[in-house]
């Protein structure tokens, strides 16, 4: 029996602390039960970390209802990313929001909650083109968007610089098939005073237009945008000419959100090299660039954290009933596990498969507390 115990002991060390046999012989006298326990905890902790990273990748795709990550390269991102004020404002928010999980917000649904959609204009259907010349923009929106949740819809257009201070007459018209006779329906006109040599972004309220499109999708053939100066020059950017990448028109749609609050919980927080063996929350930073996910605009990384450690019955003062059941029937249960007891969402800015920019909340992505359950 003594020989068998020694063999089991050595096998344990080969599995959890792979070192040479010569090292084992040299340090055999210094190895203690405490060293063995810490080594085992370290290996288990590393396993928990890798499992958490794998879970995060699959959870993000699942919560965004994606079967696989959008195939959008870094070069494509640089080309179509709007150089516009609302996008910069969202990016600036990450200085405040990235690590701020104190509110403990929990979504009612386990899927992502969309708050803002930035839809880039695409070429309209040939049926509304004259002489095969696309006249600007078609904006596509999912029929799942509920019109009663639309808070704001802004059309953003970029005006080239004028040679002199002038007044711009900006016109937006709804496109119709050429066979319908009257091809345009004017939906907005406004005058804009501009200075010489200064380009600018302009926003126009188009909420009512979007509401009509959502209620009657068959009326959405796109829009034509013109911005004429007093000399008849059209200064609006409607296509990606060389040097004008990211300046095409896009629509910013804000949608209402209905989060609910969750209660606080308590738990242990540990550093990565902590000797703690009990269930604890450990730091873990997720880097989306390491995933090769260029389609995520921001954040490029965030603090996700993970749970790891033992759940001995003596540490279960909060769950006395579970403790008594397990004690009475130890073979009928695998015992309590160290799992998240409180999680919070992250805000994310990303491209979907339609190359629309989505700003939304991804629920249950940050581990705030860990506990035994």
């Amino acid at each position: 029996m003594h020989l068998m115990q020694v063999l089991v002991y050595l096998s344990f060390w080969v599995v959890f602390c792979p070192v040479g046999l010569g090292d084992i012989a040299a340090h055999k006298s210094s190895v203690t039960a405490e060293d063995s326990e810490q080594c085992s905890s370290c290996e288990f902790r590393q396993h928990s970390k890798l499992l958490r990273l794998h879970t995060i990748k699959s959870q993000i795709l699942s919560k965004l209802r994606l079967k696989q990550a959008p195939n959008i390269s870094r070069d494509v991102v640089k080309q179509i990313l709007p150089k516009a004020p609302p996008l910069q404002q969202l990016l600036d928010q990450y200085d405040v929001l990235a690590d701020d999980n104190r509110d403990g917000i929990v979504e009612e649904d386990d899927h992502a909650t969309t708050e803002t959609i930035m839809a880039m204009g695409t070429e309209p259907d040939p049926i509304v083109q004259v002489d095969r010349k696309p006249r600007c923009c078609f904006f596509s929106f999912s029929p799942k968007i509920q019109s009663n949740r639309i808070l704001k819809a802004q059309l953003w257009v970029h005006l080239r610089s004028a040679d002199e201070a002038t007044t711009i007459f900006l016109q937006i018209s709804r496109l119709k098939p050429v066979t319908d006779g009257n091809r345009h329906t004017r939906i907005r006109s406004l005058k804009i005073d501009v200075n010489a040599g200064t380009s600018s972004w302009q926003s126009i309220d188009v909420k009512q237009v979007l509401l009509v499109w959502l209620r009657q999708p068959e009326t959405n053939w796109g829009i034509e945008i013109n911005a004429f100066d007093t000399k008849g020059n059209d200064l609006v950017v409607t296509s990606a000419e060389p040097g004008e990448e990211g300046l095409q028109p896009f629509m910013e749609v804000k949608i209402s959100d209905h989060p609910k609050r969750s209660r606080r919980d308590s738990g242990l927080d540990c550093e990565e090299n902590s000797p703690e063996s009990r269930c604890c929350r450990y730091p873990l930073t997720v880097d989306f660039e390491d995933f090769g996910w260029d389609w995520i605009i921001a954040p490029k990384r965030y603090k996700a954290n993970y749970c790891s450690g033992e759940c001995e019955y003596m540490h279960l003062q909060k769950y006395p009933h579970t403790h008594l059941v397990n004690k009475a029937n130890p073979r009928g249960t695998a015992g309590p596990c160290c799992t998240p007891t409180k999680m919070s969402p992250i805000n994310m800015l990303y491209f979907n498969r339609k190359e629309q920019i989505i700003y939304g909340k991804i629920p249950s992505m940050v581990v705030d507390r860990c506990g035994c359950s």
Side-chain angles (χ1 to χ4, degrees):
M1 290 297 292
H2 179 70
L3 178 60
M4 289 297 297
Q5 290 175 346
V6 172
L7 290 175
V8 171
Y9 182 78
L10 290 176
S11 300
F12 178 86
W13 274 94
V14 169
V15 172
F16 290 98
C17 293
V19 295
L21 292 178
D23 294 331
I24 294 176
H27 298 284
K28 182 177 179 181
S29 59
S30 63
V31 173
T32 64
E34 182 179 356
D35 294 331
S36 175
E37 182 178 350
Q38 289 184 2
C39 184
S40 176
S41 298
C42 180
E43 290 288 337
F44 185 77
R45 197 177 301 165
Q46 182 65 19
H47 173 75
S48 299
K49 181 192 297 186
L50 295 176
L51 180 62
R52 171 82 170 123
L53 286 171
H54 176 75
T55 302
I56 286 172
K57 292 182 71 172
S58 60
Q59 280 185 336
I60 288 178
L61 295 178
S62 175
K63 293 174 189 293
L64 297 181
R65 295 182 172 91
L66 297 172
K67 293 182 179 180
Q68 59 186 18
N71 185 22
I72 299 178
S73 66
R74 190 169 302 181
D75 292 337
V76 173
V77 170
K78 290 180 180 179
Q79 182 178 1
I80 64 178
L81 197 63
K83 303 171 183 177
L87 181 65
Q88 191 58 51
Q89 291 172 6
L90 290 175
L91 291 172
D92 291 343
Q93 290 183 38
Y94 282 95
D95 292 337
V96 179
L97 295 176
D99 299 326
D100 185 6
N101 303 304
R102 293 171 298 175
D103 287 342
I105 299 175
V106 178
E107 300 301 326
E108 296 177 354
D109 190 354
D110 192 44
H111 288 92
T113 304
T114 302
E115 294 181 335
T116 302
I117 299 174
M118 293 187 182
M120 268 63 72
T122 59
E123 186 175 303
D125 192 287
I127 196 173
V128 300
Q129 299 179 17
V130 176
D131 299 327
R132 296 184 178 180
K133 294 180 180 180
R135 299 299 299 174
C136 193
C137 314
F138 174 76
F139 297 95
S140 175
F141 293 94
S142 169
K144 295 180 180 179
I145 298 178
Q146 301 175 13
S147 59
N148 61 346
R149 294 186 60 204
I150 303 296
L151 296 179
K152 183 175 73 170
Q154 299 284 118
L155 175 67
W156 288 82
V157 298
H158 190 79
L159 302 182
R160 302 182 184 94
S161 59
D163 296 333
E164 59 186 20
T166 185
T167 298
I168 302 295
F169 297 88
L170 191 138
Q171 301 173 350
I172 304 173
S173 303
R174 182 184 289 112
L175 292 176
K176 294 182 179 180
V178 178
T179 55
D180 287 356
N182 185 11
R183 182 172 165 271
H184 297 83
T185 300
R186 187 73 52 80
I187 56 178
R188 190 61 50 87
S189 299
L190 57 148
K191 295 193 301 182
I192 304 171
D193 294 326
V194 297
N195 297 321
T198 303
S199 60
S200 63
W201 282 97
Q202 302 291 333
S203 64
I204 304 97
D205 181 8
V206 289
K207 179 179 177 180
Q208 294 304 318
V209 177
L210 176 59
L211 292 177
V212 172
W213 286 348
L214 293 176
R215 288 193 295 263
Q216 301 173 326
E218 69 277 4
T219 64
N220 180 17
W221 292 97
I223 57 175
E224 180 175 340
I225 307 171
N226 301 108
F228 297 105
D229 63 10
T230 53
K231 297 179 180 180
N233 299 313
D234 193 352
L235 301 182
V236 68
V237 177
T238 56
S239 59
E241 301 297 332
E244 295 182 335
E245 294 84 1
L247 301 181
Q248 306 95 299
F250 71 93
M251 194 173 292
E252 176 195 14
V253 181
K254 288 188 178 295
I255 301 174
S256 64
D257 185 19
H258 304 288
K260 63 179 181 180
R261 302 275 173 176
S262 67
R263 61 179 179 83
R264 291 183 177 270
D265 197 358
S266 60
L268 290 175
D269 286 338
C270 299
E271 296 299 324
E272 187 61 36
N273 297 321
S274 171
E276 179 62 61
S277 62
R278 291 178 296 171
C279 178
C280 197
R281 184 184 74 154
Y282 292 90
L284 173 64
T285 299
V286 174
D287 191 324
F288 292 121
E289 291 183 343
D290 288 346
F291 290 176
W293 283 5
D294 295 322
W295 56 279
I296 294 182
I297 304 170
K300 290 299 183 184
R301 59 193 58 84
Y302 84 100
K303 294 180 180 179
N305 308 322
Y306 70 101
C307 300
S308 185
E310 298 177 2
C311 287
E312 300 178 8
Y313 295 133
M314 66 182 65
H315 300 143
L316 294 180
Q317 295 89 349
K318 289 186 62 179
Y319 306 97
H321 175 72
T322 304
H323 168 63
L324 292 175
V325 171
N326 290 337
K327 188 174 181 180
N329 185 23
R331 296 182 181 179
T333 177
C337 297
C338 181
T339 59
T341 57
K342 177 177 179 290
M343 301 189 74
S344 57
I346 61 171
N347 295 281
M348 184 179 288
L349 193 65
Y350 61 95
F351 282 101
N352 63 11
R353 288 185 177 178
K354 295 182 178 180
E355 296 185 353
Q356 293 176 333
I357 297 177
I358 309 296
Y359 177 71
K361 206 183 293 299
I362 316 297
S364 304
M365 297 307 300
V366 179
V367 175
D368 294 322
R369 295 287 185 272
C370 298
C372 295
S373 59

